Amino acid sequence: MRNFSFFEYRIAAFHHFIAEQLGQLKQLGVILALFMYTAFPALILLIYLALGKVMTQDPTLSILLSVALIVMQSELSVALSKGALDVKHRLYQRSFASKEMRVLCDYALALAGNLVFLLSVPLLLSLDLSKWQQGLHFVLFCICVLGSGFVATLKTTRIKLYVITVILLPVLFDLSLLWLLTSYIALLVGVAFWPNSLAFKRLTKFNLGFWVSYHSHAFAEIWWRVLMLLALWVFANVLNLQRPDLGFFVHCFISPFIVYIASSQQLNQNECVIQYKLWLNSLRNANTLVYGQYVVPMSLAVVGLMSLQLIVVSLQSLIIFAVAGALTIAVAKYKPSHYALGWFVINGLMITINYWVY
Protein backbone atom coordinates (compact mmCIF):
# COMPACT_ATOMS: atom_id res chain seq x y z
CA MET A 1 0.00 0.00 0.00
CA ARG A 2 2.83 2.39 0.85
CA ASN A 3 4.56 1.75 -2.48
CA PHE A 4 1.28 2.24 -4.33
CA SER A 5 0.76 5.60 -2.61
CA PHE A 6 4.28 6.63 -3.60
CA PHE A 7 3.57 5.70 -7.20
CA GLU A 8 0.38 7.79 -7.13
CA TYR A 9 2.38 10.70 -5.71
CA ARG A 10 4.96 10.45 -8.51
CA ILE A 11 2.24 10.40 -11.18
CA ALA A 12 0.60 13.46 -9.59
CA ALA A 13 3.96 15.26 -9.44
CA PHE A 14 4.64 14.46 -13.11
CA HIS A 15 1.17 15.69 -14.08
CA HIS A 16 1.66 18.88 -12.07
CA PHE A 17 5.02 19.52 -13.77
CA ILE A 18 3.50 19.17 -17.23
CA ALA A 19 0.60 21.45 -16.28
CA GLU A 20 3.08 23.99 -14.90
CA GLN A 21 5.11 23.99 -18.10
CA LEU A 22 2.00 24.32 -20.24
CA GLY A 23 0.85 27.15 -17.99
CA GLN A 24 3.97 29.12 -18.89
CA LEU A 25 2.88 28.80 -22.52
CA LYS A 26 -0.73 29.59 -21.75
CA GLN A 27 -1.15 32.39 -24.28
CA LEU A 28 0.55 30.39 -27.00
CA GLY A 29 -1.61 27.41 -26.08
CA VAL A 30 -4.79 29.47 -26.43
CA ILE A 31 -3.71 30.64 -29.88
CA LEU A 32 -2.91 27.10 -30.94
CA ALA A 33 -6.21 25.84 -29.56
CA LEU A 34 -8.18 28.50 -31.45
CA PHE A 35 -6.45 28.42 -34.79
CA MET A 36 -4.71 25.05 -34.98
CA TYR A 37 -6.90 22.67 -32.98
CA THR A 38 -7.53 20.58 -36.10
CA ALA A 39 -3.77 20.18 -36.57
CA PHE A 40 -3.17 18.23 -33.34
CA PRO A 41 -4.61 14.96 -34.66
CA ALA A 42 -2.69 15.62 -37.86
CA LEU A 43 0.56 15.86 -35.89
CA ILE A 44 -0.05 12.40 -34.43
CA LEU A 45 -0.87 11.09 -37.89
CA LEU A 46 2.29 12.74 -39.21
CA ILE A 47 4.39 10.88 -36.64
CA TYR A 48 2.64 7.65 -37.62
CA LEU A 49 3.38 8.43 -41.26
CA ALA A 50 7.06 8.95 -40.41
CA LEU A 51 7.11 5.69 -38.44
CA GLY A 52 5.53 3.95 -41.40
CA LYS A 53 8.28 5.21 -43.70
CA VAL A 54 10.88 3.93 -41.25
CA MET A 55 9.07 0.60 -40.99
CA THR A 56 8.91 0.12 -44.76
CA GLN A 57 12.55 1.23 -45.05
CA ASP A 58 11.92 3.90 -47.64
CA PRO A 59 15.30 4.40 -49.34
CA THR A 60 15.13 8.19 -49.44
CA LEU A 61 13.48 9.05 -46.14
CA SER A 62 14.11 6.24 -43.68
CA ILE A 63 17.50 7.46 -42.41
CA LEU A 64 16.43 11.11 -42.26
CA LEU A 65 13.20 10.32 -40.40
CA SER A 66 14.94 7.91 -38.02
CA VAL A 67 17.48 10.56 -37.04
CA ALA A 68 14.77 13.22 -36.70
CA LEU A 69 12.54 11.04 -34.50
CA ILE A 70 15.40 9.92 -32.24
CA VAL A 71 16.60 13.51 -31.78
CA MET A 72 13.03 14.74 -31.21
CA GLN A 73 12.36 12.12 -28.55
CA SER A 74 15.69 12.78 -26.85
CA GLU A 75 14.96 16.49 -26.55
CA LEU A 76 11.38 15.82 -25.40
CA SER A 77 12.64 13.46 -22.68
CA VAL A 78 15.18 16.06 -21.57
CA ALA A 79 12.40 18.64 -21.29
CA LEU A 80 10.30 16.26 -19.17
CA SER A 81 13.17 14.83 -17.11
CA LYS A 82 12.75 17.15 -14.11
CA GLY A 83 9.10 16.22 -13.85
CA ALA A 84 9.69 12.51 -14.40
CA LEU A 85 12.33 12.44 -11.66
CA ASP A 86 10.52 14.97 -9.45
CA VAL A 87 13.82 16.77 -8.92
CA LYS A 88 12.36 19.37 -6.54
CA HIS A 89 11.42 16.74 -3.98
CA ARG A 90 14.13 14.17 -4.67
CA LEU A 91 15.48 14.16 -1.12
CA TYR A 92 11.98 14.04 0.32
CA GLN A 93 11.28 10.81 -1.61
CA ARG A 94 13.99 8.97 0.31
CA SER A 95 12.09 9.40 3.55
CA PHE A 96 9.23 7.07 2.63
CA ALA A 97 10.20 4.96 -0.40
CA SER A 98 12.88 2.37 -1.03
CA LYS A 99 15.57 2.83 -3.66
CA GLU A 100 14.10 0.05 -5.79
CA MET A 101 10.68 1.70 -5.81
CA ARG A 102 12.15 5.09 -6.70
CA VAL A 103 14.10 3.59 -9.60
CA LEU A 104 11.00 1.73 -10.81
CA CYS A 105 8.98 4.96 -10.79
CA ASP A 106 11.78 6.79 -12.62
CA TYR A 107 11.75 4.27 -15.45
CA ALA A 108 7.95 4.10 -15.56
CA LEU A 109 7.58 7.88 -15.90
CA ALA A 110 10.46 8.05 -18.38
CA LEU A 111 8.52 5.54 -20.46
CA ALA A 112 5.32 7.58 -20.06
CA GLY A 113 7.10 10.58 -21.60
CA ASN A 114 8.48 8.54 -24.50
CA LEU A 115 5.86 9.55 -27.05
CA VAL A 116 7.60 8.17 -30.14
CA PHE A 117 8.12 4.74 -28.58
CA LEU A 118 4.52 4.54 -27.34
CA LEU A 119 3.28 5.36 -30.84
CA SER A 120 5.66 2.76 -32.25
CA VAL A 121 4.36 -0.08 -30.08
CA PRO A 122 1.16 -0.74 -32.12
CA LEU A 123 3.21 -0.95 -35.32
CA LEU A 124 5.76 -3.18 -33.58
CA LEU A 125 3.06 -5.54 -32.33
CA SER A 126 1.56 -5.73 -35.83
CA LEU A 127 4.68 -7.55 -37.02
CA ASP A 128 4.30 -11.32 -37.18
CA LEU A 129 7.19 -13.47 -36.07
CA SER A 130 7.73 -14.41 -39.71
CA LYS A 131 8.12 -10.73 -40.62
CA TRP A 132 10.48 -9.77 -37.80
CA GLN A 133 13.52 -10.55 -39.88
CA GLN A 134 12.35 -8.15 -42.59
CA GLY A 135 11.35 -5.62 -39.97
CA LEU A 136 14.52 -5.96 -37.90
CA HIS A 137 15.49 -2.37 -38.63
CA PHE A 138 12.21 -1.15 -37.10
CA VAL A 139 12.83 -3.25 -33.98
CA LEU A 140 16.29 -1.66 -33.66
CA PHE A 141 14.73 1.77 -34.18
CA CYS A 142 12.29 1.14 -31.30
CA ILE A 143 15.19 0.06 -29.09
CA CYS A 144 17.06 3.28 -29.99
CA VAL A 145 14.06 5.45 -29.18
CA LEU A 146 13.36 3.62 -25.93
CA GLY A 147 16.99 3.73 -24.82
CA SER A 148 17.50 7.38 -25.76
CA GLY A 149 14.38 8.29 -23.79
CA PHE A 150 15.70 6.55 -20.67
CA VAL A 151 19.19 8.05 -20.98
CA ALA A 152 17.80 11.54 -21.69
CA THR A 153 15.66 11.32 -18.55
CA LEU A 154 18.11 9.69 -16.16
CA LYS A 155 21.44 11.03 -17.50
CA THR A 156 20.52 14.30 -19.15
CA THR A 157 24.05 15.69 -19.48
CA ARG A 158 25.22 12.69 -21.51
CA ILE A 159 22.42 12.59 -24.07
CA LYS A 160 23.64 15.74 -25.81
CA LEU A 161 26.85 14.05 -26.92
CA TYR A 162 24.78 11.13 -28.17
CA VAL A 163 22.46 13.44 -30.14
CA ILE A 164 25.43 15.10 -31.83
CA THR A 165 26.73 11.67 -32.83
CA VAL A 166 23.29 10.63 -34.10
CA ILE A 167 23.22 13.67 -36.39
CA LEU A 168 26.81 13.47 -37.61
CA LEU A 169 27.13 9.71 -38.17
CA PRO A 170 24.98 9.51 -41.36
CA VAL A 171 26.68 12.66 -42.65
CA LEU A 172 30.21 11.31 -42.24
CA PHE A 173 29.58 7.66 -43.19
CA ASP A 174 27.49 6.04 -45.90
CA LEU A 175 25.73 3.37 -43.83
CA SER A 176 22.56 1.42 -44.43
CA LEU A 177 19.66 1.95 -42.03
CA LEU A 178 20.29 -1.39 -40.30
CA TRP A 179 23.97 -0.69 -39.63
CA LEU A 180 23.23 2.89 -38.66
CA LEU A 181 20.71 1.84 -36.01
CA THR A 182 23.08 -0.87 -34.77
CA SER A 183 25.77 1.79 -34.33
CA TYR A 184 23.30 4.01 -32.47
CA ILE A 185 22.50 1.21 -30.02
CA ALA A 186 26.19 0.51 -29.40
CA LEU A 187 26.84 4.22 -28.77
CA LEU A 188 23.82 4.43 -26.51
CA VAL A 189 25.09 1.54 -24.38
CA GLY A 190 28.47 3.26 -24.11
CA VAL A 191 26.91 6.58 -23.14
CA ALA A 192 24.62 4.96 -20.56
CA PHE A 193 27.13 2.71 -18.81
CA TRP A 194 30.40 4.64 -19.08
CA PRO A 195 31.47 5.19 -15.44
CA ASN A 196 31.50 8.79 -14.23
CA SER A 197 34.80 8.18 -12.46
CA LEU A 198 36.50 7.37 -15.76
CA ALA A 199 35.00 10.18 -17.80
CA PHE A 200 37.51 12.86 -16.73
CA LYS A 201 39.85 10.87 -14.50
CA ARG A 202 42.89 11.19 -16.74
CA LEU A 203 42.07 14.62 -18.13
CA THR A 204 41.84 16.24 -14.71
CA LYS A 205 45.45 15.26 -14.01
CA PHE A 206 46.52 17.84 -16.60
CA ASN A 207 46.38 21.60 -16.25
CA LEU A 208 43.52 21.83 -18.75
CA GLY A 209 41.43 19.58 -16.51
CA PHE A 210 39.89 22.72 -14.99
CA TRP A 211 38.40 23.67 -18.36
CA VAL A 212 37.29 20.10 -19.04
CA SER A 213 35.38 20.15 -15.77
CA TYR A 214 33.97 23.61 -16.49
CA HIS A 215 32.63 22.68 -19.92
CA SER A 216 31.22 19.40 -18.66
CA HIS A 217 29.04 21.37 -16.23
CA ALA A 218 28.25 24.20 -18.68
CA PHE A 219 27.80 22.07 -21.76
CA ALA A 220 24.75 24.04 -22.91
CA GLU A 221 27.08 26.90 -23.92
CA ILE A 222 28.74 24.61 -26.48
CA TRP A 223 25.63 22.60 -27.31
CA TRP A 224 23.63 25.34 -29.00
CA ARG A 225 26.71 26.56 -30.87
CA VAL A 226 27.34 23.09 -32.28
CA LEU A 227 23.71 22.92 -33.43
CA MET A 228 24.01 26.35 -35.08
CA LEU A 229 27.21 25.30 -36.86
CA LEU A 230 25.44 22.16 -38.06
CA ALA A 231 22.50 24.23 -39.32
CA LEU A 232 24.88 26.54 -41.21
CA TRP A 233 26.62 23.52 -42.74
CA VAL A 234 23.29 22.07 -43.92
CA PHE A 235 22.29 25.45 -45.35
CA ALA A 236 25.60 25.76 -47.20
CA ASN A 237 25.31 22.21 -48.51
CA VAL A 238 21.78 22.77 -49.83
CA LEU A 239 22.81 26.06 -51.41
CA ASN A 240 25.80 24.43 -53.07
CA LEU A 241 23.67 21.59 -54.46
CA GLN A 242 21.25 24.08 -55.98
CA ARG A 243 23.87 26.54 -57.23
CA PRO A 244 27.33 24.92 -57.41
CA ASP A 245 28.65 28.00 -59.20
CA LEU A 246 28.26 30.04 -56.01
CA GLY A 247 30.89 28.14 -54.00
CA PHE A 248 33.03 31.23 -53.39
CA PHE A 249 30.06 33.27 -52.19
CA VAL A 250 28.99 30.43 -49.91
CA HIS A 251 32.32 30.77 -48.12
CA CYS A 252 32.06 34.56 -47.96
CA PHE A 253 28.53 34.45 -46.56
CA ILE A 254 28.74 31.49 -44.15
CA SER A 255 32.28 31.92 -42.76
CA PRO A 256 31.64 35.22 -40.88
CA PHE A 257 28.70 33.61 -39.05
CA ILE A 258 30.87 30.62 -38.14
CA VAL A 259 33.43 33.06 -36.76
CA TYR A 260 30.71 34.84 -34.77
CA ILE A 261 29.31 31.64 -33.25
CA ALA A 262 32.78 30.38 -32.31
CA SER A 263 34.25 33.63 -31.00
CA SER A 264 31.18 34.50 -28.91
CA GLN A 265 32.09 31.54 -26.70
CA GLN A 266 35.07 33.59 -25.54
CA LEU A 267 32.68 35.98 -23.81
CA ASN A 268 31.59 33.09 -21.57
CA GLN A 269 35.23 32.21 -20.94
CA ASN A 270 35.91 35.77 -19.83
CA GLU A 271 33.22 35.53 -17.15
CA CYS A 272 34.72 32.28 -15.87
CA VAL A 273 38.24 33.73 -15.71
CA ILE A 274 37.00 36.81 -13.84
CA GLN A 275 35.04 34.64 -11.41
CA TYR A 276 38.10 32.50 -10.55
CA LYS A 277 40.74 35.20 -11.03
CA LEU A 278 42.05 35.12 -7.45
CA TRP A 279 42.21 31.33 -7.45
CA LEU A 280 44.07 31.30 -10.79
CA ASN A 281 46.56 33.86 -9.51
CA SER A 282 47.30 31.66 -6.50
CA LEU A 283 48.53 28.83 -8.70
CA ARG A 284 52.01 28.46 -10.09
CA ASN A 285 50.74 27.19 -13.43
CA ALA A 286 48.09 29.88 -13.78
CA ASN A 287 49.30 30.81 -17.28
CA THR A 288 48.53 27.35 -18.61
CA LEU A 289 45.02 27.51 -17.19
CA VAL A 290 44.47 30.97 -18.65
CA TYR A 291 45.63 29.82 -22.07
CA GLY A 292 43.15 26.94 -21.86
CA GLN A 293 40.24 29.34 -22.24
CA TYR A 294 41.02 29.68 -25.97
CA VAL A 295 40.79 25.96 -26.74
CA VAL A 296 37.02 25.70 -27.18
CA PRO A 297 36.45 28.94 -29.19
CA MET A 298 39.33 28.12 -31.54
CA SER A 299 38.18 24.49 -31.85
CA LEU A 300 34.67 25.59 -32.80
CA ALA A 301 36.09 27.96 -35.41
CA VAL A 302 38.36 25.29 -36.90
CA VAL A 303 35.62 22.66 -37.02
CA GLY A 304 33.14 25.09 -38.56
CA LEU A 305 35.54 26.42 -41.20
CA MET A 306 36.95 22.99 -42.04
CA SER A 307 33.43 21.61 -42.52
CA LEU A 308 32.93 24.06 -45.38
CA GLN A 309 35.86 22.42 -47.14
CA LEU A 310 33.75 19.27 -47.41
CA ILE A 311 31.33 21.23 -49.59
CA VAL A 312 33.60 23.48 -51.64
CA VAL A 313 37.39 23.40 -51.28
CA SER A 314 38.76 26.92 -50.96
CA LEU A 315 42.06 27.07 -49.10
CA GLN A 316 42.38 30.83 -49.44
CA SER A 317 38.99 31.34 -47.75
CA LEU A 318 39.98 28.90 -45.03
CA ILE A 319 43.20 30.76 -44.26
CA ILE A 320 41.64 34.23 -44.47
CA PHE A 321 38.71 33.46 -42.19
CA ALA A 322 40.91 31.48 -39.80
CA VAL A 323 42.83 34.73 -39.31
CA ALA A 324 39.50 36.53 -38.90
CA GLY A 325 38.50 34.01 -36.25
CA ALA A 326 41.72 34.51 -34.28
CA LEU A 327 41.38 38.31 -34.42
CA THR A 328 37.72 38.22 -33.40
CA ILE A 329 38.50 35.96 -30.44
CA ALA A 330 41.19 38.44 -29.41
CA VAL A 331 38.64 41.29 -29.58
CA ALA A 332 36.19 39.23 -27.50
CA LYS A 333 38.93 38.70 -24.92
CA TYR A 334 40.47 42.14 -24.63
CA LYS A 335 37.65 44.43 -25.86
CA PRO A 336 34.41 42.57 -25.07
CA SER A 337 32.38 45.78 -25.04
CA HIS A 338 33.35 46.36 -28.70
CA TYR A 339 32.93 42.73 -29.73
CA ALA A 340 30.04 43.20 -32.21
CA LEU A 341 31.72 46.16 -33.91
CA GLY A 342 35.05 44.35 -34.01
CA TRP A 343 33.47 41.26 -35.56
CA PHE A 344 31.72 43.35 -38.21
CA VAL A 345 34.83 45.34 -39.18
CA ILE A 346 37.25 42.38 -39.17
CA ASN A 347 35.03 40.07 -41.19
CA GLY A 348 34.05 42.85 -43.56
CA LEU A 349 37.73 43.46 -44.31
CA MET A 350 38.36 39.73 -44.71
CA ILE A 351 35.50 39.39 -47.18
CA THR A 352 36.98 42.27 -49.17
CA ILE A 353 40.46 40.69 -49.12
CA ASN A 354 39.02 37.31 -50.08
CA TYR A 355 37.16 38.85 -53.01
CA TRP A 356 40.27 40.76 -54.12
CA VAL A 357 42.43 37.63 -53.99
CA TYR A 358 39.77 35.64 -55.77
Side-chain angles (χ1 to χ4, degrees), residues 55 124 127 130-140 178:
M55 188 175 184
L124 187 63
L127 292 174
S130 58
K131 296 180 180 178
W132 270 53
Q133 185 175 0
Q134 297 178 353
L136 181 60
H137 62 280
F138 189 73
V139 177
L140 296 179
L178 188 62

Side-chain angles (χ1 to χ4, degrees), residues 184-253:
Y184 286 166
I185 293 175
L187 290 168
L188 192 62
V189 171
V191 169
F193 296 102
W194 185 263
N196 289 328
S197 59
L198 297 178
F200 306 108
K201 186 175 181 180
R202 293 184 178 274
L203 290 173
T204 51
K205 292 181 180 179
F206 299 95
N207 293 329
L208 295 181
F210 168 77
W211 291 107
V212 174
S213 178
Y214 168 78
H215 290 299
S216 68
H217 289 86
F219 190 69
E221 297 176 359
I222 304 176
W223 169 245
W224 74 264
R225 288 179 170 85
V226 171
L227 292 181
M228 289 298 296
L229 291 176
L230 181 61
L232 287 175
W233 186 88
V234 172
F235 174 76
N237 191 31
V238 172
L239 184 60
N240 182 67
L241 291 175
Q242 297 295 326
R243 293 293 302 274
D245 56 309
L246 296 179
F248 168 76
F249 296 98
V250 168
H251 274 276
C252 286
F253 180 76

Side-chain angles (χ1 to χ4, degrees), residues 79 91 114 119 159 173 212 325 338:
L91 295 176
N114 201 322
L119 294 177
I159 197 63
F173 302 99
V212 174
H338 300 90

